[in-house]
Amino acid sequence: MKVLKFGGTSVGSSKTIKQVISILEDLSRKDDLAVVVSAVGGITDKLLSAAHAAVEKSNSYKDEFKLIKSIHLEIIDGLIPDNNKAEVSEVIMAKLTGLEQLLDGLYLINELSQKTTDKLLSFGELMSSYIISEAVKNANLSVSLKNSQELIVTDEQHTQASVIQEITDNNIKSFFKGNQSKITILPGFISRSENGEITTLGRGGSDYTAALIAAALNAEELQIWTDVSGMFTANPKLVKQAVPIRSISYQEAVELSHFGAKVLYPPTVQPVLDKDIPMVIKNTMAPHDAGTLITKNPENGSTNPVKGISHIGDIALLTLQGNGMVGIPGFSKRLFETLALHKINIILITQASSEHSICFGIKDSDASLAKKAIDTTFEFEIALHKIDPILVETGLSIIAIVGDNMKNHRGISGKMFSSLGKNNVNIRAIAQGASERNISAVIDARDVSKALNTLHERFFEVETRQINLFITGVGNVGERLLEQIRQQKPYIKEHLKVNLRVIGLSNSRTMFFDKSGIDLKKWTQKLDQGQPADINEFFDSVKSMNLRNCIFVDVTANDSVAAIYAKYLKDNIAVVACNKIACSSDYNVYYELKRLSRKFNTPFLFETNVGAGLPVIDTLSHLITSGDEVHSIHAVLSGSLNFIFNNFNDSTRFHDIVKQAQLEGYTEPDPRIDLSGIDVARKILILARESGSVLNLDEIETESFLTTKALQAKSVEDFFDTLTEDEDHYQNLYQSAKNKACQLKFVAEYNDGKAKVGLREIPKDHPFYNLQGKDNIVMFYTKRYPEQPMIIKGAGAGADVTASGLFADIIRASNN
């Protein structure tokens, strides 16, 4: 025989009940079935709502009753054929009349006792089982209906009755011994005391009913039919990548259920655990899915020691602490006796080895009562300052990883906590049993989704790591970056096992967010429809989403954006910056950002600050890390200026060449930033700082080649006018170099802690002479390269190469 339990959405409507009948028809061809059913249509909650309304003297209880009545009659109408509908309706109407009378009575006496609550709730189960048995009968299946109250006997504890096992087992065996039906329908959850009073089995009571019957009959299997295809590796509503667990042990199932996996209620497992009866969790609406098999010794071929991740919400963490506890026996006993006396359940316990404190987790709703009771119990010790008043922290959750084989694998807890730490999930308390089947941690409730996804990725998604990008600045470079991400996303996912998702975008006018990822084919339309842009609100949105593996990408030249890098780093959000302002502003700002990056183990990368896509900073970093020392740096660091001076000659106008560089994206929209030399000064400053020098921008000697009028121009338009007016000045610069057979290059130099930038006449035998187009070149003279420098050369300007440099930094940050 097999025992089946259908509940929740399985019996939520006539449509789902028809699916149940189809399953029964298929299974009864091979086996006898005992079928336990819950109340249809979620009636239990509606019954309680009606009762509370009646007790509160609200006439709305009558509306609740009408709803309950209509649900049952609609299910009858959708399930029962016309020739039997009147008879079934008559039976249900009689029960509904009894229910209505009970509600009227509650309205009059203004009280709802636990005893009456049990009687009230039994209506739902009894009506449900009758309707379903009649529907099965009309499907021409061999079926009988048996009231579970005649089988399951309990004590007098209403709403949470304890089963009297021996009597119950005998009743079940006796009934089924004489039962000839292929299918037996029984209501779940309800029972009866030895004195004949109606009782209920509490939370998970229908599952418990099924387990009791399966154990008494030594059933071949217990099947729990619900609305999901088994127990999942994590809550699929919070972790989209969660998958069903093929097989799991009883103990693992109990642990996962205790920590929030709502498919199963822990006491349910005990009766079948004692008899080694397999359990299967199945999906009513997807009956052919494998589901989850729960056995004593599961075999699924998986080498993963972690079977699942779960959580409990609405937790309060209470701490009893004080120097007077150390070495004094009895504190724990008094604490736990106090909680037991007030029927407060402890979910998690941890105690410091110093005996200075005891920390435990309970439901948020019990926190006030617990504090009052404990403070009263220890009133004397608190008055003498031997211990502190109980400390209460609310708004917390417990997360747990579960697996029988974790004890045989080293490093599981290390992986768990390091993954959480990297994603800024602060852990308030930790607990692990000696069996090592469960590792639990208390965290802020706001971090639950991020924590679950982080741990699931760490233990179940080793193939692919999800990276969430927030990009501000989608002009020329930003646009190219988005296109590169769109094009390369499949390659990155397949070869690097990184799934890049752009979650937030912002320009100077609007910003747009999509937690599931922005469609990069439609990002311009989405951004146009976004909310007004605000730098601080952008950060607040990133923080409130609280996603794992986040990277903020700054593709602006905005000092306000650079000013909030520290906020991102403190929240373990990596920063990739094209913006030079942060790293070239006051040294203390630069130092603090580097310090925060180290402290929070969060990448702060700015490769494109110096050489666009060239690996200049990365190479310098490797030199320093390996113990080399930089003596001097000689570089052409402006692809824009190199383009300009490579194309400017006595047959062109300086104005026209600068305009061409602006139009082709080699300069900033305001070319004065490039031509003033300030941009190159910022770059050599960054290289000097990365070499270990403590310098500020005002300490760099800048020799400008621009005229006074150009430097004082009030607008870009005025600046271009001065270039035309001062053409002779620029031609003289060119002729001077030409007469010496030299090339004009804007050069940055760093020597012995000092730096300068300026226009230089470069002779033919110098490495800079043949530097073409928009190329950059950097020469590092170091302790290991004293005479022949390490040279890095290549394109140093342009939207595509700058975007590729940003892309490379994003991948580096992803691999951290």
Side-chain angles (χ1 to χ4, degrees):
M1 171 173 280
K2 291 182 179 179
V3 178
L4 287 66
K5 179 265 177 175
F6 291 93
T9 56
S10 298
V11 290
S13 65
S14 58
K15 178 182 177 181
T16 56
I17 294 173
K18 286 178 181 177
Q19 178 67 20
V20 169
I21 295 170
S22 174
I23 292 168
L24 297 180
E25 186 175 11
D26 182 53
L27 293 177
S28 63
R29 294 191 184 102
K30 300 177 182 178
D31 300 287
D32 290 343
L33 306 175
V35 181
V36 176
V37 295
S38 298
V40 298
I43 291 298
T44 300
D45 290 339
K46 296 177 177 64
L47 286 168
L48 287 171
S49 178
H52 289 306
V55 169
E56 293 167 3
K57 296 293 186 182
S58 170
N59 283 319
S60 63
Y61 83 91
K62 294 182 179 180
D63 295 328
E64 293 281 0
F65 172 75
K66 289 178 182 177
L67 178 59
I68 292 167
K69 179 179 177 180
S70 67
I71 288 173
H72 284 88
L73 294 181
E74 284 175 12
I75 289 176
I76 291 171
D77 191 55
L79 279 179
I80 308 300
D82 292 340
N83 61 355
N84 193 30
K85 194 170 293 182
E87 180 184 345
V88 174
S89 297
E90 183 179 351
V91 173
I92 293 300
M93 284 303 300
K95 294 185 182 297
L96 287 169
T97 299
L99 172 61
E100 186 175 25
Q101 291 171 349
L102 178 59
L103 291 171
D104 289 339
L106 291 174
Y107 183 85
L108 292 173
I109 65 174
N110 195 32
E111 182 183 350
L112 178 61
S113 67
Q114 290 185 332
K115 180 177 178 180
T116 306
T117 298
D118 280 349
K119 184 176 182 181
L120 174 83
L121 296 180
S122 70
F123 279 94
E125 315 296 324
L126 292 170
M127 289 190 290
S128 173
S129 57
Y130 173 72
I131 294 171
I132 293 173
S133 69
E134 289 298 311
V136 174
K137 188 185 298 180
N138 282 289
N140 296 317
L141 298 176
S142 171
V143 63
S144 62
L145 172 65
K146 181 63 176 176
N147 189 343
S148 301
Q149 293 171 319
E150 299 171 7
L151 302 178
I152 300 175
V153 180
T154 70
D155 61 13
E156 302 285 341
Q157 184 66 44
H158 289 284
T159 72
Q160 191 71 51
S162 296
V163 174
I164 299 174
Q165 200 69 50
E166 185 176 352
I167 298 174
T168 297
D169 284 353
N170 289 334
N171 288 345
I172 294 170
K173 291 174 182 177
S174 176
F175 168 74
F176 278 95
K177 185 176 182 180
N179 182 37
Q180 300 299 314
S181 301
K182 289 286 290 181
I183 301 171
T184 305
I185 305 292
L186 305 102
F189 180 60
I190 59 175
S191 49
R192 196 176 292 270
S193 72
E194 285 187 286
N195 294 330
E197 298 285 352
I198 295 172
T199 57
T200 57
L201 300 177
R203 179 187 164 193
S206 292
D207 288 358
Y208 195 28
T209 301
L212 289 168
I213 293 170
L217 299 176
N218 287 314
E220 176 187 342
E221 187 175 82
L222 169 60
Q223 298 181 359
I224 305 293
W225 290 81
T226 181
D227 58 352
V228 291
S229 297
M231 299 186 79
F232 278 64
T233 49
N235 185 341
K237 293 180 181 178
L238 297 176
V239 182
K240 292 183 179 180
Q241 293 78 22
V243 294
I245 303 170
R246 196 172 75 184
S247 66
I248 192 171
S249 72
Y250 292 118
Q251 290 81 7
E252 289 169 328
V254 168
E255 292 281 359
L256 284 174
S257 299
H258 175 71
F259 283 95
K262 296 179 181 179
V263 174
L264 202 64
Y265 183 53
T268 302
V269 179
Q270 196 58 48
V272 293
L273 172 60
D274 293 339
K275 295 288 186 75
D276 286 347
I277 296 171
M279 292 180 65
V280 183
I281 311 297
K282 300 276 284 183
N283 188 341
T284 308
M285 303 312 293
H288 297 296
D289 287 358
T292 298
L293 174 65
I294 305 172
T295 61
K296 186 175 182 179
N297 297 303
E299 294 182 7
N300 59 8
S302 173
T303 58
N304 191 346
V306 179
K307 282 292 183 68
I309 306 162
S310 196
H311 82 285
I312 308 175
D314 301 319
I315 294 295
L317 194 65
L318 279 69
T319 304
L320 183 68
Q321 62 184 6
N323 294 326
M325 294 173 58
V326 179
I328 307 298
F331 275 97
S332 299
K333 176 178 179 292
R334 292 169 62 196
L335 171 64
F336 298 135
E337 280 181 347
T338 300
L339 294 171
L341 183 64
H342 289 83
K343 297 182 179 178
I344 296 172
N345 184 45
I346 300 173
I347 301 170
L348 173 145
I349 304 171
T350 181
Q351 181 174 14
S353 58
S354 65
E355 301 181 53
H356 179 266
S357 65
I358 301 174
C359 184
F360 57 96
I362 61 175
K363 296 297 291 183
D364 252 338
S365 56
D366 291 331
S368 296
L369 175 60
K371 176 173 174 54
K372 183 178 179 181
I374 296 168
D375 282 347
T376 300
T377 297
F378 294 99
E379 185 176 11
F380 178 72
E381 288 84 354
I382 292 172
L384 295 178
H385 301 290
K386 289 185 176 182
I387 65 171
D388 302 330
I390 194 80
L391 176 66
V392 179
E393 299 172 75
T394 58
L396 304 173
S397 290
I398 298 174
I399 55 170
I401 60 173
V402 172
D404 281 339
N405 293 323
M406 293 198 307
K407 61 186 175 184
N408 299 321
H409 288 74
R410 287 174 291 182
I412 298 295
S413 58
K415 292 176 182 177
M416 176 182 179
F417 298 128
S418 64
S419 298
L420 294 174
K422 285 180 180 179
N423 282 280
N424 201 33
V425 177
N426 187 39
I427 296 170
R428 296 291 302 111
I430 299 168
Q432 181 176 9
S435 68
E436 298 185 48
R437 184 178 291 120
N438 172 330
I439 304 173
S440 306
V442 180
I443 63 171
D444 193 303
R446 293 170 297 183
D447 290 331
V448 165
S449 179
K450 178 166 69 172
L452 291 176
N453 279 278
T454 296
L455 294 177
H456 196 272
E457 183 177 80
R458 184 66 183 85
F459 291 108
F460 295 101
E461 303 168 47
V462 291
E463 290 297 314
T464 305
R465 190 164 186 239
Q466 184 172 290
I467 302 297
N468 299 301
L469 303 177
F470 297 86
I471 302 174
T472 181
V474 288
N476 200 12
V477 175
E479 183 178 353
R480 304 295 176 87
L481 174 62
L482 289 170
E483 181 58 21
Q484 289 178 15
I485 292 172
R486 187 190 70 77
Q487 290 180 355
Q488 287 299 105
K489 185 175 179 178
Y491 178 90
I492 297 293
K493 189 172 183 179
E494 179 181 354
H495 294 277
L496 301 184
K497 308 305 179 187
V498 171
N499 179 27
L500 294 177
R501 302 192 313 165
V502 178
I503 306 298
L505 288 173
S506 179
N507 56 25
S508 59
R509 294 173 288 104
T510 57
M511 58 186 187
F512 177 78
F513 299 91
D514 185 340
K515 202 169 184 178
S516 60
I518 297 170
D519 184 349
L520 294 185
K521 292 181 180 179
K522 302 176 181 178
W523 70 266
T524 52
Q525 301 95 303
K526 297 290 186 183
L527 189 55
D528 288 341
Q529 299 164 7
Q531 64 196 84
D534 183 277
I535 293 166
N536 291 307
E537 287 184 14
F538 191 90
F539 168 75
D540 291 341
S541 296
V542 176
K543 185 176 179 179
S544 64
M545 286 187 188
N546 207 14
L547 300 174
R548 68 195 188 281
N549 305 329
C550 291
I551 302 175
F552 172 67
V553 184
D554 179 10
V555 201
T556 74
N558 189 313
D559 54 357
S560 298
V561 177
I564 62 170
Y565 289 175
K567 287 186 176 181
Y568 285 100
L569 294 172
K570 287 176 182 177
D571 273 288
N572 283 92
I573 298 169
V575 174
V576 169
C578 184
N579 189 342
K580 303 176 192 65
I581 292 174
C583 289
S584 60
S585 58
D586 186 82
Y587 180 81
N588 291 328
V589 173
Y590 162 84
Y591 178 82
E592 176 64 7
L593 293 175
K594 298 283 282 188
R595 187 190 71 80
L596 290 173
S597 176
R598 291 190 297 270
K599 178 180 178 180
F600 294 99
N601 193 27
T602 303
F604 171 45
L605 303 176
F606 42 91
E607 182 67 74
T608 53
N609 278 197
V610 174
L614 295 177
V616 178
I617 294 175
D618 189 54
T619 301
L620 176 57
S621 175
H622 288 312
L623 288 173
I624 301 299
T625 302
S626 67
D628 205 349
E629 296 176 4
V630 175
H631 295 156
S632 67
I633 303 172
H634 298 263
V636 174
L637 293 172
S638 174
S640 313
L641 287 172
N642 200 44
F643 174 86
I644 289 168
F645 285 110
N646 276 337
N647 287 277
F648 175 57
N649 54 49
D650 49 13
S651 62
T652 61
R653 292 198 314 156
F654 193 68
H655 167 279
D656 297 342
I657 299 301
V658 174
K659 194 68 176 177
Q660 180 186 352
Q662 182 197 43
L663 293 174
E664 293 186 19
Y666 296 139
T667 72
E668 297 290 341
D670 183 350
R672 289 175 295 180
I673 297 173
D674 298 278
L675 273 70
S676 68
I678 187 65
D679 190 59
V680 175
R682 289 184 185 277
K683 292 178 178 180
I684 193 64
L685 173 64
I686 292 169
L687 291 181
R689 287 175 172 177
E690 289 291 291
S691 300
S693 184
V694 180
L695 274 178
N696 276 311
L697 190 60
D698 58 7
E699 297 176 75
I700 295 177
E701 182 183 344
T702 303
E703 303 168 10
S704 178
F705 64 87
L706 294 174
T707 65
T708 302
K709 283 192 294 183
L711 291 170
Q712 294 177 350
K714 295 181 178 179
S715 67
V716 174
E717 186 178 350
D718 290 345
F719 173 72
F720 274 109
D721 289 341
T722 69
L723 298 186
T724 301
E725 294 168 8
D726 296 331
E727 177 67 21
D728 289 346
H729 166 73
Y730 302 110
Q731 286 293 342
N732 289 337
L733 293 174
Y734 172 75
Q735 287 298 330
S736 174
K738 182 179 180 181
N739 292 338
K740 300 173 187 174
C742 292
Q743 292 272 11
L744 287 174
K745 304 293 179 185
F746 198 84
V747 177
E749 299 173 65
Y750 167 74
N751 291 288
D752 298 325
K754 296 181 179 180
K756 62 182 179 179
V757 298
L759 194 63
R760 301 284 184 266
E761 295 177 344
I762 304 298
K764 285 186 177 181
D765 60 350
H766 195 282
F768 293 174
Y769 183 86
N770 290 313
L771 197 64
Q772 299 298 313
K774 56 184 181 296
D775 284 0
N776 281 188
I777 186 170
V778 181
M779 300 193 303
F780 290 117
Y781 289 90
T782 73
K783 182 173 68 176
R784 295 173 187 156
Y785 298 89
E787 297 177 0
Q788 294 295 324
M790 176 176 282
I791 298 177
I792 302 167
K793 179 181 176 183
D800 282 325
V801 293
T802 305
S804 69
L806 285 168
F807 202 166
D809 270 353
I810 289 170
I811 298 303
R812 287 190 193 99
S814 303
N815 291 330
N816 181 62

